Amino acid sequence: MGINKIQFQKGLSMAKFMENYGTEDKCQAALVASRWPTGFVCPKCGGTHHSTFERRGLHYWQCSMCREQTTAICGTIFHATKLPLTRWFLGMHLLSQAKNSISALELKRHLGVRYKTAWLMKHKLMQVMTGREESRQLSGRVEIDDAYLGGELPGGKSGRGSENKVPFLAAVQTTETGQLFVCLTKLEFTKDAIAQWAKKSLRASANVVSDGLWCFRSVTESGATHERTVTGGGVACEIPSWAI
Ligand SMILES: [Zn+2]
């Protein structure tokens, strides 16, 4: 179950957030809609016929086929939590809106919970977010470029030639609805490393557009197509340190 399915758009105001997720009922409804968008599906047998009941303040679904009883938080990171969903949702909102991440101490202050609770929550949420990004495969039109992180030594070369910068592959997919997926991967620009990256990070349907750095051609080993555009050289883009 991915918390990412619940939309925490960038720039969502706190007022709007409270309007959408300010009560346990609203959080529960968002969770149900994200988990079973077309109605209840039994996690054990896949059946859809069910009955519902309340027990100890929790809403239960019981499958009519296998009698499995489940709640909306069963099998999610909220399972067995003592914290109300409103705290978790606020934590997710704060983490997803922060430009430079948010410390466990800040989270503790905003949520009114103990430091250890805030630390554990942040850790759990970051794990889910990282797992989601690691398993994401880009598709459609994907632009790739080489990028570099790190300062320049006096007299050092800039961009690709610099010996004191960390090389990254920057891949950007733009969807038809205007969503932007960015994938930054630390790697050496060799034919094999690019091929390996492509197999892991690209769907076979991807159409890769690059400026033609020679090793980028090996993205086709993943089944993707490759289109070469010549940008006329210049300095490769630099990644701000907060982005990593
Ligand atoms: Zn069932």
Side-chain angles (χ1 to χ4, degrees), residues 42 44-47 63 65-68:
C42 173
K44 198 171 169 192
C45 75
C63 173
M65 296 281 284
C66 72
R67 319 301 292 169
E68 174 79 357

Side-chain angles (χ1 to χ4, degrees), residues 159-230:
R160 281 173 193 161
S162 175
E163 53 293 294
N164 59 326
K165 289 185 183 235
V166 181
F168 278 82
L169 179 73
V172 181
Q173 175 198 344
T174 315
T175 68
E176 281 171 8
T177 54
Q179 271 183 305
L180 203 68
F181 294 121
V182 182
C183 170
L184 293 172
T185 312
K186 186 181 164 211
L187 51 69
E188 295 298 326
F189 292 109
T190 65
K191 194 172 166 286
D192 285 348
I194 297 288
Q196 236 174 33
W197 170 85
K199 284 174 194 165
K200 181 171 174 273
S201 308
L202 296 177
R203 291 211 188 133
S205 58
N207 175 34
V208 178
V209 181
S210 80
D211 69 353
L213 199 61
W214 66 273
C215 56
F216 286 163
R217 276 177 300 182
S218 57
V219 294
T220 53
E221 287 189 31
S222 67
T225 55
H226 180 222
E227 202 178 305
R228 190 170 171 271
T229 60
V230 180

Side-chain angles (χ1 to χ4, degrees), residues 13-229:
S13 71
M14 187 54 86
K16 190 74 187 156
F17 171 81
M18 293 310 285
E19 197 183 311
N20 292 348
Y21 309 108
T23 67
E24 280 300 290
D25 283 350
K26 285 177 177 175
C27 293
Q28 163 97 358
L31 208 51
V32 171
S34 132
R35 199 161 185 196
W36 299 308
T38 54
F40 173 78
V41 179
C42 173
K44 198 171 169 192
C45 75
T48 54
H49 289 286
H50 65 280
S51 54
T52 59
F53 64 92
E54 305 275 330
R55 189 198 292 153
R56 288 196 291 271
L58 273 180
H59 192 79
Y60 279 81
W61 282 257
Q62 179 165 309
C63 173
S64 307
M65 296 281 284
C66 72
R67 319 301 292 169
E68 174 79 357
Q69 296 178 351
T70 189
T71 67
I73 59 171
C74 268
T76 72
I77 58 166
F78 315 119
H79 187 56
T81 181
K82 290 196 180 87
L83 279 182
L85 283 176
T86 46
R87 293 283 204 288
W88 279 100
F89 274 56
L90 185 54
M92 288 191 284
H93 176 63
L94 293 169
L95 274 171
S96 62
Q97 299 297 307
K99 265 193 192 135
N100 296 308
S101 178
I102 183 167
S103 71
L105 199 63
E106 280 176 280
L107 210 53
K108 165 193 177 298
R109 267 203 307 270
H110 285 299
L111 301 181
V113 296
R114 290 184 308 144
Y115 177 76
K116 196 180 167 194
T117 308
W119 188 90
L120 279 172
M121 176 191 276
K122 181 181 172 185
H123 200 66
K124 272 189 169 184
L125 290 174
M126 297 299 281
Q127 254 181 347
V128 173
M129 289 169 167
T130 310
R132 185 190 86 193
E133 288 310 312
E134 275 176 358
S135 60
R136 187 192 299 287
Q137 284 195 309
L138 303 179
S139 60
R141 182 187 161 90
V142 178
E143 290 183 40
I144 65 172
D145 207 347
D146 54 327
Y148 299 86
L149 175 74
E152 279 177 65
L153 290 173
K157 290 182 276 182
S158 65
R160 281 173 193 161
S162 175
E163 53 293 294
N164 59 326
K165 289 185 183 235
V166 181
F168 278 82
L169 179 73
V172 181
Q173 175 198 344
T174 315
T175 68
E176 281 171 8
T177 54
Q179 271 183 305
L180 203 68
F181 294 121
V182 182
C183 170
L184 293 172
T185 312
K186 186 181 164 211
L187 51 69
E188 295 298 326
F189 292 109
T190 65
K191 194 172 166 286
D192 285 348
I194 297 288
Q196 236 174 33
W197 170 85
K199 284 174 194 165
K200 181 171 174 273
S201 308
L202 296 177
R203 291 211 188 133
S205 58
N207 175 34
V208 178
V209 181
S210 80
D211 69 353
L213 199 61
W214 66 273
C215 56
F216 286 163
R217 276 177 300 182
S218 57
V219 294
T220 53
E221 287 189 31
S222 67
T225 55
H226 180 222
E227 202 178 305
R228 190 170 171 271
T229 60

